[in-house]
Amino acid sequence: MILDSLIPVLLVLALVLAAAGMLKRINLWRAGQPEKVNLIAGLMAMPRRYLVDLHHVVERDKYISKTHVATAGGFVLSMVLILAVYLFGLQSQLLSYALLGATALMFMGAFFVWKRRRNPPARLSKGPWMRLPKSLLMFSATFFIATLPAAGILPEAFGGLVLALILTAGIVWGLSELVFGMAWGGPMKHAFAGALHLAFHRRPERFGGGRSTGLKAVDLKADKLGVDKPTDFKWNQLLGFDACVQCGKCEAMCPAFAAGQPLNPKKLIQDMVVGLAGGSDAKFAGSPYPGIEVGKAQGGPDQSITGGLVSPDTLWSCTTCRACVEECPMMIEHVDAIVDMRRFLSLEKGQTPNKGAETLENLIATDNPNGFNPGNRTNWAADQNLRLMSDVKQADVLFWVSDGAFDMRSQRILRAFVKVLKAANVDFAILGDEERDSGDVARRLGDDATFQGLAQRNIEVLQKYKFKTLVTTDPHAFHCIKNEYPELYPAGSAVDYQVMHHTTFINELVKNGRLQLSAHKGGTVTYHDPCYLGRYNGEYDSPRELLASLGIQLAEMERSGFRSRCCGGGGGAPIIDIPGERRIADMRMAEIREVGAETVAVGCQQCTAMLEGVVEPRAEVKDIAEMVADALVEEVA
Amino acid sequence: MPPKSVADLRVAALISVGKHPSSGRARRADQDARAVEMGLGLAPGGLEVIHAGNPNETVLRDYAGMGLNKLKVIEQSADADVVPALSEYLSDDCPDIVLTGVRAESGESSGMMAYLLGEKLGLPVVTRIAEIRAITDGQAEVLQALPRGQRRAVRVALPFIASVDSAAAPARQSAYGPAMRAELEADSRGIEIKDEVRAGWEENPARKRPKRLKVVKAKTAADRFKAATAKATGDGGTVMRDETPAEKAKAIFDLLVEEGVLR
Ligand code: SF4
Ligand code: SF4
């Protein structure tokens, strides 16, 4: 029968072409900057990363998770068996039956893919992605039928020439999409690039339940700072972009996209793919950047990205909330890429827009973003009788005050926290005027030089004193000191303290019985997870436990916990203030209103400022420290 | 940017080490940076940025970050009077326009630099300029900044010295990468004259003086607006427009004698 002699030829052809395509693709990635990865260990770890870590993310959408297991599992199995049966000619009924099973499984999965695609949500890309389920069905169906005779279910030469021709056409279609297309940029590319991305991920710490959210320091001595052209990315970042399946989960979560600002993380990643391969975005079949037409962007591996591929406004719209990264099933690191490109604009071009440049200048000249006299940093505590580290040299707890010291609203939070610390008789001290901005804003604005300068001087001060725990009410400072400072500690010295957010710390005090709290008075309360506490540091429980110990039953918002929506205040976004159709803070307040909350508990002064910026009537915004301070049962001495 | 037609225009911007008003930390001086900005707009290729002082002063790099490959540093010790050295350097091959800030943010901060250089080099001095609008036939069309947002257009022949007012276009952001890679070209061949007069001075931080309370007489918002924006009307004085230059000069001379400036 012709099929028996044709299939091996087609297979070999597809495999050879695929191999050529893969080599070409690999070369595109290798045009990126070197980055050390452990090739062998990465490849060995890949199956586990796929089956456990990636599945953990995909599992959030049960439908697609099951569908993908059936389709992908069926395909891999089919492919192995097809090679065994048709290429290596292993004739056994058992194998044929196994192949029938595998293709049937794949067909079932593909059917559900097709079903979802009949009325796809807006976040999914169309174009070639609409063809994929049909190709999957075709591949599985034709190989199923072609294998029936071998399994002895149908007689040899069943269907004659007509069927053979039809099957040949189907096999050609299936193989081109699934084998050839995998290497030559079709939708199936995600399987090839995705698998390798898992193996050579730039943040392997993310696998196995770990967390890696700190931005990586720029080598300030390098010839070029930040990313200008696609080839300035590390090679495995390029590989990561190529893994995108255009599922749009990031788009659905992005607050800037929802606010109508010109950013769509999915499109951004696709534009990076356009950049690394060269060409235009005309074939992109998903949602555009709000307000920017698709089809006009051009790019190439050695062309400046902001010179025609991506508008700087797109990069500056991001609040660095990490909602996209959290959601991405392919473990792509959008925030790293965005900040890398911002770095080039700030450090090489001097083009931090709007108030950004002024903020950076202030940070350089006064160690705070608003240009206040650094000698007034401790004025807020004039009536608090706090101990300074420069006097006492050591304490159990170092209270990191943060720039909230200069802001009257934040000072209320600081005072509330001091009241709590005093009520629990905590041995604590502050740095006073020796403290500086943590560098968070500078770093997110791409000015890593200023960040590193601030961090290094802060580290010098921290190293002068002895304390067991550093506590701060500012999740941004918390994240920087906890996750980004260690890399900058001078060689030979190490961090000898733990870093805590005040909600975690107060919660421990309560658990240890060091605080007496009365029940919270007032109506419904909801809790807004700050991005830099939640997604960046995985702290979702302490604030909730603490609120529970105030007798509060939270009315949780739909977007809460790891799916919390940003207040709009991160990443220097309020400083740059790229216009959109809505304000992120307003959208968040609407969600707070939806659950009927009279009070929204927060754990961040930036969130407080953003949410209180929403016009009344709205829920009252209170930091958890303030709520605890109000509920303190003062002992009558 | 208006057309600044002259292709081979040569501009020098003199820069100093500034001082941040609230932290007192060394920084890129605001007016000097505006002068560099103006220079970049006028003659991106023919701009020379010059500092007289310490070539190891890192803050100078903040100027370089505006897109300069090179800064010229005429080495001078801290107690030197930089005017002789600067005028010697400039007179050598005098640029068409010399830009300075109106007043330095540190040191004597007397605002005399432009005048002293003008005297030494024999160049006209245009003070407090906001913009150089065009250069035609060896003449520059300059806008001087007056109080309350007013401007005065003057024409001045090249070469000249101008002090750049805070009303001039703000300086662009300084980019760290180019700043660090720029060359600080130290030049130690020039003269160095010790500032003997200043050596005898004693410096104290200025005392804060009580501010006179402003009594607002205006009753309506319109009155207040007028009070805030009206032209300052000096008492006395005459505006001489149509008289001959000789008559104008005579009037100034008489006034100077009357005020006891000239004896
Ligand atoms: S970047 Fe990730 S989440 Fe976004 S579309 Fe691509 S695969 Fe999906
Ligand atoms: S970090 Fe947040 S704002 Fe930035 S692209 Fe991702 S989801 Fe959008």
Side-chain angles (χ1 to χ4, degrees), chain A residues 256-517:
Chain A
F257 179 79
Q261 290 173 281
L263 168 62
N264 172 353
K266 173 173 103 175
K267 172 82 165 60
L268 182 78
I269 298 303
Q270 281 314 303
D271 282 350
M272 296 300 106
V273 174
V274 168
L276 79 94
S280 94
D281 70 338
K283 288 208 201 76
F284 178 70
S287 322
Y289 298 125
I292 300 180
E293 208 184 314
V294 171
K296 302 262 159 73
Q298 293 272 344
D302 282 311
Q303 285 169 32
S304 171
I305 293 170
T306 48
L309 186 57
V310 175
S311 142
D313 279 0
T314 295
L315 304 176
W316 294 112
S317 295
C318 176
T319 70
T320 67
C321 71
R322 258 187 104 77
C324 47
V325 184
E326 181 74 41
E327 215 55 45
C328 179
M330 304 310 283
M331 309 258 163
I332 294 168
E333 297 279 348
H334 313 66
V335 178
D336 281 354
I338 289 173
V339 174
D340 278 341
M341 291 184 274
R342 285 184 179 187
R343 284 171 169 172
F344 181 78
L345 293 177
S346 283
L347 291 173
E348 292 290 352
K349 293 285 211 185
Q351 288 171 352
T352 322
N354 301 343
K355 287 274 166 205
E358 190 186 318
T359 303
L360 294 175
E361 248 170 52
N362 285 336
L363 283 168
I364 293 167
T366 64
D367 303 331
N368 68 77
N370 292 308
F372 294 114
N373 186 338
N376 295 346
R377 191 175 269 279
T378 324
N379 288 9
W380 70 276
D383 58 347
Q384 299 288 309
N385 198 15
L386 300 184
R387 295 189 301 159
L388 291 178
M389 270 297 185
S390 52
D391 295 335
V392 295
K393 311 289 183 211
Q394 60 176 359
D396 282 349
V397 170
L398 170 65
F399 172 25
W400 184 273
V401 174
S402 84
D403 291 330
F406 290 107
D407 173 64
M408 292 226 273
R409 174 63 183 93
S410 308
Q411 287 168 9
R412 296 207 326 248
I413 302 173
L414 299 176
R415 286 205 195 89
F417 183 54
V418 166
K419 188 176 165 195
V420 173
L421 288 172
K422 285 182 175 167
N425 281 320
V426 176
D427 168 34
F428 76 101
I430 60 171
L431 290 175
D433 292 348
E434 286 187 293
E435 190 185 304
R436 293 174 180 87
D437 178 275
S438 63
D440 166 69
V441 172
R443 178 160 254 197
R444 301 325 123 181
L445 288 180
D447 186 351
D448 223 45
T450 301
F451 167 77
Q452 291 183 24
L454 288 166
Q456 269 149 7
R457 283 181 293 148
N458 277 326
I459 289 169
E460 264 167 44
V461 173
L462 290 174
Q463 285 186 313
K464 286 202 294 189
Y465 304 122
K466 279 213 86 59
F467 52 92
K468 293 192 206 100
T469 310
L470 184 152
V471 183
T472 178
T473 53
D474 174 9
H476 296 264
F478 171 57
H479 167 69
C480 283
I481 299 173
K482 180 164 180 247
N483 303 320
E484 298 185 342
Y485 278 20
E487 189 186 8
L488 298 172
Y489 262 69
S493 61
V495 181
D496 56 354
Y497 52 87
Q498 54 172 341
V499 190
M500 271 196 202
H501 186 244
H502 70 304
T503 54
T504 319
F505 186 75
I506 301 177
N507 190 38
E508 284 197 358
L509 291 179
V510 173
K511 278 196 191 158
N512 295 335
R514 290 174 67 181
L515 287 173
Q516 295 295 317
L517 300 179

Side-chain angles (χ1 to χ4, degrees), chain A residues 35-36 49 53 198-214 216 322 331 333 336:
Chain A
E35 167 102 332
K36 271 224 168 67
R49 290 176 181 177
D53 299 287
L198 284 181
F200 309 134
H201 200 281
R202 195 159 169 240
R203 295 177 179 274
E205 307 85 359
R206 281 186 67 189
F207 303 105
R211 192 175 292 282
S212 166
T213 55
K216 297 184 189 289
R322 258 187 104 77
M331 309 258 163
E333 297 279 348
D336 281 354

Side-chain angles (χ1 to χ4, degrees), chain A residues 11-63:
Chain A
L11 275 173
V12 170
L13 193 66
L15 287 174
V16 168
L17 285 175
M22 285 178 180
L23 286 178
K24 190 164 168 248
R25 208 76 204 171
I26 290 170
N27 273 331
L28 289 179
W29 304 329
R30 278 165 43 106
Q33 301 302 306
E35 167 102 332
K36 271 224 168 67
V37 296
N38 193 332
L39 289 180
I40 307 291
L43 286 172
M44 303 263 285
M46 192 242 289
R48 200 191 140 75
R49 290 176 181 177
Y50 173 73
L51 293 170
V52 180
D53 299 287
L54 185 138
H55 191 70
H56 180 74
V57 181
V58 180
E59 183 66 357
R60 294 171 188 168
D61 184 343
K62 292 263 174 349
Y63 180 101

